[in-house]
Amino acid sequence: EGLSECVSLTNVDVSHNYIESLKPLSGCIELISLDASDNKISSVSDMVNCKKLREVNLSNNMIESVDGIGLSDNDTIILDLSNNILTEFQLPPLRFKYLSVYGNVIQDFSSLKDSTVYTFVFDYNEETDYSSFASIDATEYYIMNCPKDKQIYVSELIGKYRTTFTNAEEYTYSD
């Protein structure tokens, strides 16, 4: 249905619509770039065959899980999952140029232990074990909404020279 016959499609921007499903893109196996931000998407499982995806913006949706998302394991990934309803985060080891999951309630990032992340953006959470971040190969962390009285503690666990504390109003990503 829809775009399933467009197997050679490489770039899609369906942002700012009222899309609830990515199923029409499930046959787009050459898809490299997808912007489906600001929609009503709750699942990415239809993207399992899109193994060439390397630039994905799924921010501001209703995504509960990243299970089934197809991502390239040969390229560096830009993945924005900010402002969804993720409570857990399970991905295979990948190389991320940019990974943003702020605006979600994720406590466990252990699935990133064998990943490489250049820029990692996430929310402060009292329940997160920040000592586990030592096993993530990350260059810089942007931690949103961390109380000032917790910043020294968190930066010592993660690495004070690669940690920036900010909030959504101040932070912008530039490539």
Side-chain angles (χ1 to χ4, degrees), residues 41 68-69 86 124 131 147:
I41 299 164
I69 190 169
L86 293 167
Y124 171 80
S131 64

Side-chain angles (χ1 to χ4, degrees), residues 71-75 77 79 91-96 111-112 114-117:
L71 293 171
S72 172
D73 57 1
N74 295 320
D75 295 298
I77 309 296
L79 179 60
L91 283 176
L94 297 166
R95 290 186 323 267
F96 294 95
S111 71
L112 291 174
D114 294 320
S115 293
T116 301
V117 185

Side-chain angles (χ1 to χ4, degrees), residues 97-117:
K97 180 176 184 178
Y98 176 80
L99 175 60
S100 177
V101 294
Y102 81 84
N104 292 284
V105 188
I106 303 170
Q107 297 175 13
D108 182 9
F109 294 99
S110 60
S111 71
L112 291 174
K113 69 179 174 151
D114 294 320
S115 293
T116 301
V117 185

Side-chain angles (χ1 to χ4, degrees), residues 36-156:
S37 61
D38 298 286
N39 282 295
K40 296 183 178 201
I41 299 164
S42 60
S43 172
V44 296
S45 61
D46 293 318
M47 303 306 291
V48 70
N49 295 321
C50 300
K51 303 277 188 211
K52 294 186 178 183
L53 277 171
R54 60 180 182 232
E55 293 183 23
V56 182
N57 185 348
L58 293 167
S59 64
N60 301 305
N61 276 288
M62 300 167 61
I63 298 169
E64 299 175 23
S65 170
V66 292
D67 289 344
I69 190 169
L71 293 171
S72 172
D73 57 1
N74 295 320
D75 295 298
T76 304
I77 309 296
I78 296 172
L79 179 60
D80 190 344
L81 293 164
S82 58
N83 297 311
N84 279 285
I85 53 176
L86 293 167
T87 56
E88 61 180 18
F89 188 74
Q90 297 295 322
L91 283 176
L94 297 166
R95 290 186 323 267
F96 294 95
K97 180 176 184 178
Y98 176 80
L99 175 60
S100 177
V101 294
Y102 81 84
N104 292 284
V105 188
I106 303 170
Q107 297 175 13
D108 182 9
F109 294 99
S110 60
S111 71
L112 291 174
K113 69 179 174 151
D114 294 320
S115 293
T116 301
V117 185
Y118 181 74
T119 302
F120 186 22
V121 185
F122 58 95
D123 284 301
Y124 171 80
N125 185 318
E126 188 75 36
E127 306 299 317
T128 300
D129 177 10
Y130 291 99
S131 64
S132 67
F133 281 57
S135 64
I136 300 172
D137 182 13
T139 303
E140 58 186 355
Y141 294 101
Y142 287 86
I143 305 174
M144 301 292 186
N145 307 313
C146 183
K148 291 204 181 289
D149 64 328
K150 304 287 184 185
Q151 291 180 2
I152 292 174
Y153 169 74
V154 171
S155 67
E156 286 176 351

